Amino acid sequence: MDKLIIEPMKGIGKILLGMTKTEVDECLQYYTEKYEITYAKNPLCYHTKGAIQSFFQLEYDFDGKVNFIQIPSAIKNVLNCVFHNLDVFNTKTEELVEKIDKISNYDRNHRELGWTYYYPELGLSFWRPNILKESDMQEDWFKELEPSIQEDEKRNLYFECVSIQCIK
């Protein structure tokens, strides 16, 4: 499986911070052709083989240049998403946070800490919808959950999306 490289202050894959919409469209066309990714009429929502999840969420500044790029974990079905040789969607949150914290410290005062880890020097963020730690799975409250709910909750051991943004 190919890698989608996450480079803070630069870009994710072929999509770079500072690109125009026209340049982004060319990159997305490349992904469409190479990975058979189809997209909806909304040019910012890209789907694979009819899936509903968006692959690239982009924001533009007043000059029409990309200043924010976000990808969801659903893209891992098409590409491995890698930052410093770490597969960000297949590495457990606690391990990933610890390893990246050695590269650059995350904001320990972030108001959504646990759900969101923001590395301000890199303009790099990770998010998950619920906090779950490996140790939580040994707790009675977790063991009392229905098996299907347990499986669903285990997804929270990993991040659901990663984003980069321009640093001001």
Side-chain angles (χ1 to χ4, degrees):
M1 185 177 289
D2 290 342
K3 293 180 182 178
L4 188 66
I5 306 298
I6 299 161
E7 297 179 84
M9 298 182 286
K10 185 174 180 188
I12 297 179
K14 293 190 170 293
I15 301 174
L16 305 176
L17 295 169
M19 281 186 159
T20 64
K21 185 179 177 322
T22 301
E23 292 169 322
V24 168
D25 285 343
E26 290 174 13
C27 295
L28 294 173
Q29 184 62 36
Y30 165 83
Y31 289 124
T32 299
E33 292 170 5
K34 182 162 182 162
Y35 301 105
E36 299 180 21
I37 297 172
T38 58
Y39 54 92
K41 290 189 180 199
N42 177 347
L44 300 183
C45 292
Y46 292 79
H47 311 291
T48 182
K49 301 184 184 188
I52 296 176
Q53 292 137 335
S54 299
F55 278 176
F56 298 94
Q57 180 184 2
L58 307 167
E59 292 179 10
Y60 296 84
D61 63 18
F62 290 114
D63 296 324
K65 308 272 182 154
V66 173
N67 64 4
F68 175 87
I69 306 167
Q70 179 173 288
I71 54 173
S73 61
I75 201 169
K76 71 182 180 181
N77 298 325
V78 178
L79 295 160
N80 285 331
C81 300
V82 179
F83 171 73
H84 279 256
N85 293 319
L86 298 167
D87 186 333
V88 301
F89 295 129
N90 289 308
T91 304
K92 290 183 179 168
T93 297
E94 291 177 320
E95 179 184 350
L96 188 66
V97 167
E98 181 182 317
K99 287 182 177 182
I100 297 175
D101 197 46
K102 291 176 182 173
I103 298 166
S104 179
N105 293 330
Y106 64 86
D107 179 356
R108 281 156 169 77
N109 296 315
H110 194 282
R111 70 181 186 282
E112 294 181 351
L113 192 59
W115 292 274
T116 300
Y117 286 86
Y118 175 58
Y119 298 83
E121 293 174 1
L122 301 174
L124 176 69
S125 295
F126 294 94
W127 178 84
R128 61 182 169 169
N130 199 2
I131 299 170
L132 184 71
K133 297 180 179 181
E134 193 81 38
S135 60
D136 291 336
M137 295 189 303
Q138 304 307 315
E139 299 292 331
D140 289 338
W141 66 265
F142 187 85
K143 291 177 180 178
E144 292 170 2
L145 295 173
E146 294 290 326
S148 62
I149 295 173
Q150 286 181 2
E151 285 306 308
D152 191 48
E153 282 297 315
K154 286 179 185 178
R155 290 186 306 183
N156 294 308
L157 290 169
Y158 304 88
F159 285 113
E160 188 169 304
C161 64
V162 61
S163 61
I164 62 167
Q165 62 189 21
C166 290
I167 300 173
K168 296 179 182 179

